[in-house]
Amino acid sequence: MTTPAPRETPGSRRRTLHLVGNAHIDPVWLWRWPEGLQEIRATFRSALDRMEEYPGFVFTCDSVMYLEWIERHDPEMFQEIRKRVADGRWQVVGGWWIEPDCNIPSGESFVRQALYGQRYLLERFGTTATVGCNVDPFGHNAMLPQLLRKSGMDSYMFLRPGPHEQRLPGQFFHWEAPDGSRVLAYRLPHEYTSNGRDIGGHLDKALAIMPPDEPELMVFYGVGNHGGGPTRTNLDSVERLDRLGGLPRLQLSHPEAFYQRIRDRDDIPVHTGELQHHGPGCYSAHSGIKAWNRRAENDLQRAEKWAAVARAVTGEPYPHEQLAEAWKLVLFNQFHDILAGTSLRSAYEDARDDYGRARSLAAEACNRAIQAVSSRIAIPVREETVPLVVFNPHPWELHADIETEFGQAAGAGLTDEEGTAVPVQATRSEATMSGSRGRLAFRAAVPPLGYRVYHLRPGANPQLATPGSVDAEPGTASGTGPAAVAATATSLENAHLRLTLDPATGWLSSLLDKDSGAELLPEQPGPHAVVVDDPSDTWGHRVRAYDQAVGSFTPTRVRLVEHGPVRAVLRVESRYESSTLVEEYVVSAGARQVEVRVTVDWHEQLKLLKLRFPTALSQVTATHEIPYGHLARVPDGTEEPTQAWVDVSGTLPDGRRAGLTVANDSKHGHDVTGGEIGLTALRSPAYAWHEPRQLDPDGVYDYLDQGRQDFQLLLVPHAGDWRAADPARRAAELNQPALSLLETFHDGPLAQRAAYADDGAGSVLVTVVKADEDATGDLIVRAYESTGQAARARIELPLAEGRAIEADFGPCEIKTFRVPRDRDRPVVETDLLERTGDDA
């Protein structure tokens, strides 16, 4: 007689259910950070007490910043935690400073989440996390597997998007980044929290949506969001349920134990690409926090570069502690419920102040560095001139408009360091006064990560017109030769571009790329500044696309407000009900792009403003920048998370290939519908409003994005595909502008023109030049391949005594290098924690 095989059922005891005791803690959400700190203290105290009462209980904790808070505020509890970490009862996962939003921060911010998080764990506990953990964020960008791998983590846990939002190949799978890096990812079933009572119902719901025959599964339990963690009732119910025998074997466990059981299997499927979409309204909710974050990220990277230069060429001490403090303030406020715009209105007062302090620390460090360099430049006396030093924060030659306030601006002239005349023109000053101070604009060419001295000469340019409404004859040009800008009351043209505005619509009727002869716009472009009905909650739950237009802004005035040898500016003023919109279109001499300066004064509620950029392109490829990379997405109108640029490339009616890149300095929500790019400028739901709650028609609520905001865009037409526009560099120049400093005459060891780092302006783009975190005097250089094509790069480093880095980059690969202070030691590649192969 044959013995029947064991029955495999969802509740089979041959299966193991790893129960992970945790407490998801939001330090800010429906409360402010002081309450968040108290909930962390209370939760950690409870977890330590449960360990005393239940010998098998293991607590799992992420967000390294919470441990730093406890170390600072309760040193005795911190020592208890250190002991429990050492004996394996307190498991640390995540390895990041906080659970950030996983779409909006820059690529470098994700590096710093791990840099500060993992190094803290190593210094305080002698270990680092191996499992990444972001259970509450609302989506996960496609570059995360590489960023995790290069910071010491080979696994990842997440909850959103849920099964109803994105189909994935399994409960767990190899998640692959564009460069080929992989982590073993696990989508938590049902929830990352439970209530404080019997967890049987929680387990039933989780098991119902997991594979019925998978032998190893993992479920999180414990009271969360406002902290709490596993309760006595939770733990007693685990013991009771396990004794009953109708569920898989219940094991008090932790994530690394689960991953050890599945890591070596050869039947794990692969998923390539991002994990989206949940709450697409988060990409644009609260324009303020998005702008504060973007500016702080760029201010800090600019400060680091110039602090590294100043240390090398002047001996100025590198401000390690100051910059670390600033970065940690930024990283904390990238917490998903803060940066996503979903917290209380009052919480954004705290965030504003934190970002303000971070930017102030960055500005102080940057100013100290450039002043140290500038004061050592040999600037001999040149009669009747005032020196002006322009600093380029990018490791490639910069050609950009520079604006400077100047006490003797009226009729001022300008030369470079060799005495060659440089076109200059008056522009609108921040001050509204007569004679005492004005503002000048000129086109500068500055060496890679370097500076250049220019000389202002008061009263040397008496022909210069002052800014304001300008009457221009059709087709007249200011200046001569290929650098001239022609302007009329509705058109701007230089050697490369010509645009024409339609006063009836307030939008372009023509955008001609003169280099290729391609007209980018359709014959009848649709509305540009579109108002969309937006009845969704703060997160934008259940929304795929913002496409329910209810109106558009109507132009009230179009005029030429500036025209000179440097540039010309057309100003369009528009209105929609109680709101106003001003867009200034700027074309500079020799530029291959159109700058758009936008000011919105918004007073609508439960509506959204989309700026739409239609093109005549068909068969398009839509490419979006993501953190340290890019991704092609289906152009079907879906609201997508994007970094600083979006491109559509395709076929024009005449058959030629062309495209348009739209870059921005503070916006993240975009869509592409066919050949049309849509940028979400703002949203106005109520603060911290979560479905299914409906707003009372007679209620009093605070609405997001009310009032004035300013931002900038670039329109970059190009032939071929998006790589021809070099969008990563154009967006970097927009987001990290050059600095200028009025100087005096003095002696010094430095020339009037210098470069300190040069990445060759190819597909490999250097983003970081900084001192190493160990303060050994070594230099850290980070770069990434920006076009999706393998490349050989040479990075020249004059600030490191002329050393150079030569390396091969795979498509979309991020590399970090340590350049030793000791020239006898070789340049070595490190991980993102700045460890080499010997100590990683």
Side-chain angles (χ1 to χ4, degrees), residues 136-157:
D136 199 19
F138 314 124
H140 309 261
N141 76 78
M143 293 298 288
L144 285 185
Q146 181 179 181
L147 291 160
L148 291 161
R149 270 286 182 180
K150 293 195 172 185
S151 56
M153 289 176 272
D154 60 10
S155 312
Y156 192 61
M157 298 179 295

Side-chain angles (χ1 to χ4, degrees), residues 28-282:
V28 175
W29 180 28
L30 307 180
W31 45 86
R32 296 168 77 171
W33 69 264
E35 186 174 339
L37 170 58
Q38 188 281 328
E39 79 188 52
I40 291 166
R41 290 174 52 237
T43 299
F44 285 6
R45 180 73 269 155
S46 175
L48 291 166
D49 290 346
R50 297 296 81 75
M51 290 178 192
E52 294 290 340
E53 299 163 355
Y54 297 86
F57 170 58
V58 180
F59 182 68
T60 294
C61 168
D62 76 345
S63 295
V64 174
M65 190 204 71
Y66 301 165
L67 296 169
E68 190 199 50
W69 270 9
I70 294 299
E71 181 182 22
R72 191 187 316 161
H73 292 280
D74 196 335
E76 291 184 6
M77 184 190 295
F78 186 73
Q79 292 307 317
E80 289 185 68
I81 292 171
R82 290 187 69 181
K83 180 179 181 300
R84 290 305 189 181
V85 170
D87 64 25
R89 300 284 301 284
W90 186 295
Q91 292 285 325
V92 179
V93 297
W96 285 3
W97 201 243
I98 203 80
E99 277 194 29
D101 181 277
C102 291
N103 283 311
I104 298 170
S106 67
E108 188 56 28
S109 284
F110 289 109
V111 172
R112 302 308 171 101
Q113 289 283 351
L115 180 71
Y116 291 111
Q118 292 279 59
R119 289 176 69 93
Y120 179 90
L121 294 177
L122 193 61
E123 291 166 5
R124 300 301 194 277
F125 301 99
T127 188
T128 56
T130 60
V131 179
C133 180
N134 285 297
V135 297
D136 199 19
F138 314 124
H140 309 261
N141 76 78
M143 293 298 288
L144 285 185
Q146 181 179 181
L147 291 160
L148 291 161
R149 270 286 182 180
K150 293 195 172 185
S151 56
M153 289 176 272
D154 60 10
S155 312
Y156 192 61
M157 298 179 295
F158 68 101
L159 176 70
R160 302 184 182 93
H164 62 294
E165 293 165 326
Q166 184 175 12
R167 185 176 179 180
L168 293 170
Q171 197 72 42
F172 52 86
F173 51 90
H174 290 299
W175 184 21
E176 185 173 284
D179 77 309
S181 299
R182 290 181 177 182
V183 293
L184 183 52
Y186 184 85
R187 176 158 61 185
L188 297 179
H190 178 48
E191 266 294 350
Y192 51 77
T193 62
S194 65
N195 60 38
R197 301 183 293 277
D198 187 300
I199 68 169
H202 174 65
L203 297 184
D204 288 343
K205 291 177 181 178
L207 287 166
I209 60 176
M210 289 196 291
D213 54 356
E214 176 58 49
E216 301 286 339
L217 299 167
M218 178 168 61
V219 172
F220 277 34
Y221 73 99
V223 180
N225 286 335
H226 199 267
T231 65
R232 294 186 181 92
T233 305
N234 286 164
L235 291 161
D236 290 341
S237 70
V238 172
E239 183 179 352
R240 180 186 67 81
L241 293 166
D242 197 43
R243 283 201 309 268
L244 292 174
L247 294 172
R249 185 170 64 90
L250 304 183
Q251 177 177 318
L252 297 178
S253 187
H254 57 87
E256 180 55 38
F258 166 73
Y259 281 110
Q260 285 178 359
R261 299 287 290 271
I262 66 169
R263 189 172 280 127
D264 294 331
R265 287 172 44 169
D266 57 9
D267 61 343
I268 299 175
V270 177
H271 171 75
T272 301
E274 58 191 338
L275 303 174
Q276 310 290 3
H277 302 84
H278 179 93
C282 294

Side-chain angles (χ1 to χ4, degrees), residues 625-670:
E625 186 185 36
I626 62 174
Y628 270 150
H630 62 274
L631 201 64
R633 292 174 170 141
V634 178
D636 62 357
T638 298
E639 188 78 356
E640 301 283 7
T642 302
Q643 292 283 301
W645 60 267
V646 178
D647 181 87
V648 289
S649 294
T651 304
L652 290 168
D654 63 6
R656 79 180 87 189
R657 297 284 295 172
L660 177 69
T661 297
V662 177
N664 72 84
D665 71 349
S666 59
K667 301 301 174 183
H668 291 273
H670 292 75

